[in-house]
């Protein structure tokens, strides 16, 4: 197992396992809590949709064997995580549940028919016929419960064997007691049995378990498809020039890779040889390929299309872009929000509380009437009707559906509590350059400049990666300049046939400063008058619509930028954002975030640069584009794929819907238990009615959660 441990760049160790036997939020909480108690563990994350457990730790004291042993003690099996294995295991679980559900459904139908015959027969049915029908019911029900109930029995046994409890313990106890009491009643030839209740309870529980597994499998498809893109080998070039084929997982930073045309890029890297078109849709959302040459950075998951490339790896597979995106998708289903913590605590308290109530009910009825049979029936009804399936599903069902819908709209959410924080948002604060704008400048006054001047400026600009210089990279020039030098903060200088040439700021070229919203640069050739070049940063195509949609959601919008006031004012005016500030520092951005907090605006910060990271971290919620800096993406709660701002209002709207559904589900679960428990304790429901009521509550919260996907 130690072969599957990955050494991270920051000195941490990481192990990815597929967990066997986990099926609910209580299982996940117990696993995360148990593994988190091991010495050195810094982070543990369990994903129910993909059954993937990722454990990160420091130091060499903890081993992979310690983690798998702890899982075994908690009652769960494990194996090294592989996408195909996880897919197969999830599908096998679904098929097992489907078979068990089919058997239970068929048996429930037949036992109910026999029960109806007994109920309708009344005094006209002889005692021997009555007893025979009960025995036939037993012959159908007992094997059915033994076969179809294995999911619950094995889970409960694993928990009890390791001195643990879970929600399957009282379920199993209720099924066993109901069958045992009914068999006793049949042997004693008593008039009432509850085989129908046991089989119906099992059938309805399996429906809920099957729907939950189906929902998790469907939601996990996105993460599995992304992870499957990482299943690739790579051709590594050794120092002696020979090549070898290795799994992508064994690639290390600084390795040299040969990427033939048609192959997917296995890890993040920089091109050191070759020029080729690359399909970058997974990163930017653009359907058209982009051309990359020496120095270009490629991300894992993109595909080399036209020519061989030699790549220098800059990250291991587990630290590359595609792995990060996969983790974000999985993390979107995880949750430690206020509502999840409430549900987790309630689920942990459930077993002792319910067992205590059931025992008290049994003793109370014995004390009140002394009838062992009635006391047992009411205690069993308490165990059945208080099954916490509705409470356990109340929050996770909503978050799974919401995360899946957000992914379809190109929004990756990094944590469950981000939904809760997004729903509280009252103001959105935008960075300008690279967020509302593309960060790519275009020349505005092309028609006012002589062609020779354009060629001269372009020849100089080709020697620089400054944003204004890049705006001229598309202009061809056959001029040859010598002694070209870039002076940071000023511009470029060189010689054209012994004539000095300058291109840059007004101070650098001795030009007169021009005030205005456009960005400017000047070209000066020898002693000629400086020539003005004006540039503009283009707004993103969907920025206007995104702003309008956010305003429609009654949100206060602001724009903050380190750019000049005139430029920021013009961009804000074009977009219809009334609140704006230019020439602000990163600290000033963060201070304004704190001010909005104090005003109870629960600010959402949207940025892309390293300078935005403090504000992103300080905000109530934060968002970055896919193309943002690594630091900004790490500080953000949601990632907008394809650099599309249109996902932002969608995310807030879905978060608000999810918040409403969570509150409704928790309210329904609490009201159900407040009503159901007294009815069971005081003998107003039998085990059959209890089974129907319990399953109805679970179905209700699941259907309520699914309303998000249909809205």
């Amino acid at each position: 197992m130690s072969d599957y441990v990955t050494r991270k760049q920051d000195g941490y160790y990481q192990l990815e396992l597929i967990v066997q036997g986990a099926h609910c939020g209580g299982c996940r909480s117990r696993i995360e809590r148990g593994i988190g108690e091991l010495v050195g563990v810094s982070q543990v994350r369990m994903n129910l949709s993909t059954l993937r457990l990722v454990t990160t730790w420091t130091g060499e004291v903890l081993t992979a064997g310690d983690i798998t042993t702890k899982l075994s003690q908690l009652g769960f099996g494990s194996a090294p995580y592989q996408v195909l294995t996880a897919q197969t295991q999830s599908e096998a679980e679904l098929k097992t549940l489907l078979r068990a559900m089919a058997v239970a459904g068929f048996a429930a139908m037949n036992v109910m028919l026999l029960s109806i015959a007994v109920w309708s027969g009344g005094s006209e049915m002889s005692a021997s016929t009555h007893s025979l029908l009960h025995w036939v019911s037993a012959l159908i029900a007992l094997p059915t419960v033994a076969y179809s109930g294995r999911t619950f029995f094995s889970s409960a046994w694993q928990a009890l064997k390791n001195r643990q409890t879970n929600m399957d313990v009282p379920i199993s106890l209720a099924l066993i007691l109901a069958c045992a009491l009914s068999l006793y009643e049949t042997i004693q030839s008593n008039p009432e049995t509850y085989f129908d209740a046991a089989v119906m309870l099992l059938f309805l529980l399996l429906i809920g378990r099957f729907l939950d597994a189906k929902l998790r499998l469907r939601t996990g498809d996105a993460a599995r498809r992304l992870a499957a893109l990482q299943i690739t080998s790579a051709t590594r070039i050794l120092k002696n020039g020979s090549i070898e084929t290795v799994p992508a997982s064994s690639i290390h930073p600084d390795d040299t890779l040969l990427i033939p045309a048609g192959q997917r890029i296995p890890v993040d890297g920089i091109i050191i040889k070759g020029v080729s078109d690359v399909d970058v849709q997974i990163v930017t959302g653009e359907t058209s390929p982009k051309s990359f040459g020496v120095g270009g950075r490629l991300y894992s998951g993109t595909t080399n299309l036209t020519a061989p490339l030699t790549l220098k790896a800059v990250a291991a597979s587990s630290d590359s872009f595609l792995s990060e995106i996969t983790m974000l998708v999985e993390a979107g289903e995880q949750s430690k929000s206020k509502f999840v913590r409430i549900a987790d605590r309630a689920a942990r308290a459930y077993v002792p509380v319910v067992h205590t109530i059931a025992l008290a009910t049994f003793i109370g009825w014995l004390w009140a009437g002394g009838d062992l049979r009635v006391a047992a029936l009411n205690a069993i009804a308490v165990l059945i009707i208080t099954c916490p399936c509705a409470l356990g599903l109340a929050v996770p069902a909503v978050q799974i559906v919401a995360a899946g819908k957000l992914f379809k709209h190109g929004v990756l959410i990094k944590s469950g509590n981000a939904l809760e924080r997004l729903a509280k948002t009252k103001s959105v604060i935008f960075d300008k350059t690279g967020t509302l704008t593309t960060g790519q400048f275009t020349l505005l006054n092309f028609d006012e400049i002589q062609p020779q001047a354009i060629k001269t400026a372009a020849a100089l600009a080709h020697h620089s990666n400054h944003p204004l210089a890049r705006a001229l990279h598309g202009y061809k020039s056959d001029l040859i300049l010598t002694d070209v030098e870039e002076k940071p903060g000023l511009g470029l200088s060189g010689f054209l046939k012994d004539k000095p040439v300058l291109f840059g700021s007004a101070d650098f070229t001795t030009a007169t400063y021009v005030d205005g919203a456009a960005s400017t640069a000047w070209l000066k050739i020898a002693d000629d008058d400086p020539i003005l070049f004006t540039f503009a940063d283009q707004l993103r195509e969907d920025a206007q619509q995104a702003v309008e949609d956010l305003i429609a959601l009654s949100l206060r919008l602001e724009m903050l930028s380190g750019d000049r006031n005139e430029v920021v004012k013009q961009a804000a005016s074009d977009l219809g954002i009334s609140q704006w500030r230019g020439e602000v520092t990163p600290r000033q951005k963060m201070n304004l975030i704190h001010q909005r907090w104090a005003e109870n605006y629960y600010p959402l910060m949207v940025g892309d640069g390293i300078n935005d990271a403090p504000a992103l971290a300080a905000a109530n919620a934060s968002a970055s584009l896919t193309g943002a800096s690594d630091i900004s993406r790490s500080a953000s709660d949601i990632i907008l794929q394809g650099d599309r701002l249109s996902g932002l209002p969608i995310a807030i709207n879905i978060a608000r819907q999810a918040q409403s559904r969570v509150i409704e589900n928790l309210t329904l679960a609490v009201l159900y238990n407040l009503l159901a428990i007294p009815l069971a304790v005081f003998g107003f429901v039998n085990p059959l009615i209890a089974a129907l009521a319990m399953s109805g509550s679970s179905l209700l919260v699941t259907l309520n959660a699914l309303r998000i996907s249909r809205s």
Side-chain angles (χ1 to χ4, degrees):
M1 185 65 72
S2 60
D3 293 339
Y4 295 93
V5 175
T6 303
R7 179 71 180 266
K8 308 289 284 184
Q9 289 181 322
D10 51 11
Y12 285 81
Y13 296 90
Q14 183 171 291
L15 176 65
E16 297 184 12
L17 297 172
I18 180 171
V19 178
Q20 299 153 352
H23 54 76
C24 67
C27 297
R28 188 193 68 217
S29 297
R30 192 163 75 255
I31 290 169
E32 291 181 344
R33 190 168 60 251
I35 300 298
E37 292 172 353
L38 295 175
V39 177
V41 171
S42 59
Q43 185 180 42
V44 55
R45 186 170 60 245
M46 166 72 190
N47 184 279
L48 282 176
S49 297
T50 58
L51 301 175
R52 182 190 234 175
L53 174 68
V54 180
T55 306
T56 305
W57 71 92
T58 56
E60 298 182 358
V61 177
L62 187 66
T63 66
D66 296 330
I67 297 173
T68 56
T69 299
K70 183 64 176 180
L71 278 173
S72 179
Q73 292 173 353
L74 293 171
F76 301 96
S78 61
Y81 181 83
Q82 295 178 341
V83 176
L84 294 180
T85 303
Q87 177 88 11
T88 302
Q89 180 173 315
S90 297
E91 291 175 350
E93 178 191 5
L94 208 60
K95 290 178 181 178
T96 299
L97 288 171
L98 184 60
R99 285 194 297 268
M101 185 173 64
V103 171
F106 181 76
M109 178 177 62
N110 286 279
V111 173
M112 287 299 294
L113 287 174
L114 293 171
S115 298
I116 291 172
V118 171
W119 298 336
S120 61
S123 58
E124 298 178 3
M125 185 179 293
S126 66
S128 59
T129 303
H130 200 278
S131 179
L132 176 63
L133 292 177
H134 281 167
W135 277 110
V136 173
S137 296
L139 289 174
I140 297 173
L142 294 178
T144 297
V145 171
Y147 173 77
S148 296
R150 289 177 302 169
T151 297
F152 305 102
F153 298 149
S154 61
S155 173
W157 172 246
Q158 286 294 328
L160 293 173
K161 186 172 65 174
N162 293 284
R163 299 181 181 180
Q164 303 281 335
T165 58
N166 61 19
M167 292 190 291
D168 289 335
V169 172
I171 290 174
S172 300
L173 185 61
L175 288 170
I176 292 171
L177 289 178
C179 288
L181 179 62
S182 298
L183 184 60
Y184 172 81
E185 295 284 295
T186 301
I187 294 172
Q188 296 297 320
S189 299
N190 289 332
E192 294 183 2
T193 63
Y194 292 96
F195 292 117
D196 49 2
V199 179
M200 183 62 69
L201 170 64
L202 181 58
F203 177 54
L204 295 173
L205 283 171
L206 286 168
I207 291 177
R209 187 65 57 87
F210 176 80
L211 290 175
D212 181 50
K214 184 76 172 177
L215 187 62
R216 287 190 283 112
L217 180 64
R218 187 179 68 185
T219 304
D221 277 345
R224 275 187 289 270
R225 286 196 300 270
L226 286 169
L229 296 178
Q230 300 174 73
I231 303 177
T232 181
S233 59
T235 302
R236 181 161 54 194
I237 303 176
L238 303 179
K239 292 182 179 179
N240 61 9
S242 62
I243 61 174
E244 62 176 351
T245 301
V246 296
S249 58
S250 66
I251 297 173
H252 302 289
D254 295 330
D255 281 354
T256 302
L257 307 174
L258 177 63
I259 312 296
Q263 187 179 85
R264 197 175 296 279
I265 308 299
V267 298
D268 295 355
I270 295 175
I271 298 172
I272 58 176
K273 182 180 179 181
V275 177
S276 179
D277 291 333
V278 179
D279 181 354
V280 295
Q281 186 171 4
I282 192 172
V283 178
T284 65
E286 298 178 24
T287 56
S288 300
K290 291 184 66 176
S291 180
F292 288 86
V294 175
R297 176 160 181 155
L298 299 180
Y299 293 97
S300 62
T302 58
T303 303
N304 182 23
L305 296 177
T306 55
L309 293 173
T310 303
L311 203 70
K312 178 183 178 181
V314 296
S317 177
S318 59
D319 294 320
S320 291
F321 172 81
L322 191 57
S323 179
E324 178 188 354
I325 295 299
T326 303
M327 289 295 187
L328 291 181
V329 174
E330 290 190 1
E333 299 157 25
Q334 306 313 302
S335 43
K336 291 298 176 187
S337 68
K338 175 181 68 178
F339 295 109
V340 173
R341 291 194 295 269
I342 292 172
D344 283 349
R345 285 196 294 268
R348 287 199 297 271
Y350 161 77
V351 175
V353 169
V354 167
H355 285 177
T356 301
I357 294 174
L359 180 61
T361 301
F362 180 77
I363 295 173
W365 277 95
L366 279 181
W367 177 78
D371 191 327
L372 181 64
R373 175 177 169 277
V374 172
L377 279 174
N378 290 331
I380 292 170
V382 169
L383 286 173
I384 294 174
I385 207 167
T386 55
C387 174
C389 292
L391 184 60
L393 287 171
V395 183
V398 171
Q399 291 183 332
I400 287 173
V401 174
K405 186 172 183 180
L406 283 170
F407 180 77
K408 289 179 181 178
H409 286 285
V411 179
L412 301 176
I413 189 160
K414 293 173 64 176
S415 62
N417 65 356
L419 282 173
E420 185 178 316
R421 288 184 279 114
L422 275 174
K424 295 170 64 177
T425 296
K426 294 182 180 179
S427 69
V428 181
I429 299 174
F430 287 100
D431 173 51
K432 182 186 73 69
T433 306
T435 302
L436 288 169
T437 67
T438 62
Q440 298 175 354
F441 289 83
T442 57
L443 181 62
L444 296 181
N445 63 334
F446 173 82
D447 294 335
E448 301 172 6
I449 305 172
Q450 293 295 325
Q452 187 67 16
I454 295 285
K455 288 182 178 181
T456 305
L460 271 175
H462 289 167
H463 294 270
S464 172
N465 279 319
H466 186 278
L468 295 186
R470 288 202 304 268
L472 298 179
H473 284 185
Y475 295 93
K476 295 181 180 180
S477 176
D478 54 3
L479 300 181
I480 299 176
L481 300 178
T482 58
D483 297 331
V484 177
E485 182 181 356
E486 182 171 11
K487 298 181 179 180
L490 297 174
L492 294 154
S493 64
F495 288 89
L496 175 62
K497 296 179 180 179
D498 297 329
K499 290 183 179 180
V501 180
L502 303 175
F503 182 70
S505 66
D507 292 337
F508 184 53
T509 57
T510 65
T512 303
Y513 179 77
V514 176
D515 193 11
S519 297
T520 59
W522 298 81
L523 175 69
K524 183 175 176 60
I525 303 174
D527 295 328
D528 295 344
D529 292 335
I531 301 170
L532 174 64
F533 286 66
T534 58
F535 301 87
D537 189 2
Q538 299 298 302
L539 294 173
R540 294 191 181 276
E541 291 183 1
D542 62 346
Q544 183 69 61
Q545 187 61 52
V547 166
E548 292 176 1
D549 291 343
L550 290 169
I551 292 174
L553 291 173
S554 301
L555 295 167
R556 169 178 171 165
L557 303 189
E558 296 180 68
M559 182 192 298
L560 299 179
S561 177
D563 210 340
R564 294 182 294 115
N565 281 316
E566 296 84 358
V567 178
V568 179
K569 179 180 179 180
Q570 184 62 52
S573 176
D574 292 342
L575 290 169
I577 299 176
S578 57
Q579 302 290 326
W580 60 270
R581 286 180 62 183
E583 301 177 7
V584 294
T585 65
R587 179 173 293 277
Q588 288 172 331
K589 286 185 181 181
M590 189 172 63
N591 290 340
L592 191 133
I593 292 290
H594 290 311
Q595 182 180 335
R596 294 296 172 261
W597 264 110
E599 297 167 352
N600 292 324
Y601 273 109
Y602 300 101
L604 165 65
M605 177 68 194
V606 188
D608 75 307
I610 295 175
N611 62 329
D612 295 320
L616 290 167
N620 169 59
S622 52
S624 287
L625 302 168
T626 309
S629 68
D630 292 341
I631 294 176
S632 292
R633 290 204 309 268
S634 297
S636 298
D637 296 306
I638 63 173
I639 307 298
L640 305 173
Q641 281 188 297
D643 290 341
R644 296 187 182 94
L645 291 169
S646 56
L648 194 60
I650 292 174
I652 295 174
N653 192 40
I654 291 176
R656 289 179 177 180
Q657 293 178 39
Q659 185 87 328
S660 299
R661 298 294 90 78
V662 164
I663 294 173
E664 290 167 4
N665 277 356
L666 288 174
T667 302
L668 288 170
V670 170
L671 289 176
Y672 162 77
N673 281 283
L674 289 176
L675 178 64
I677 292 175
L679 291 176
V681 168
F682 292 105
F684 292 106
V685 297
N686 61 31
L688 177 61
I689 302 301
L692 293 171
M694 181 279 304
S695 298
S697 67
S698 299
L699 186 61
L700 188 61
V701 297
T702 301
L703 292 175
N704 192 44
L706 287 172
R707 288 169 56 199
I708 297 175
S709 64
R710 294 193 296 268
S711 61

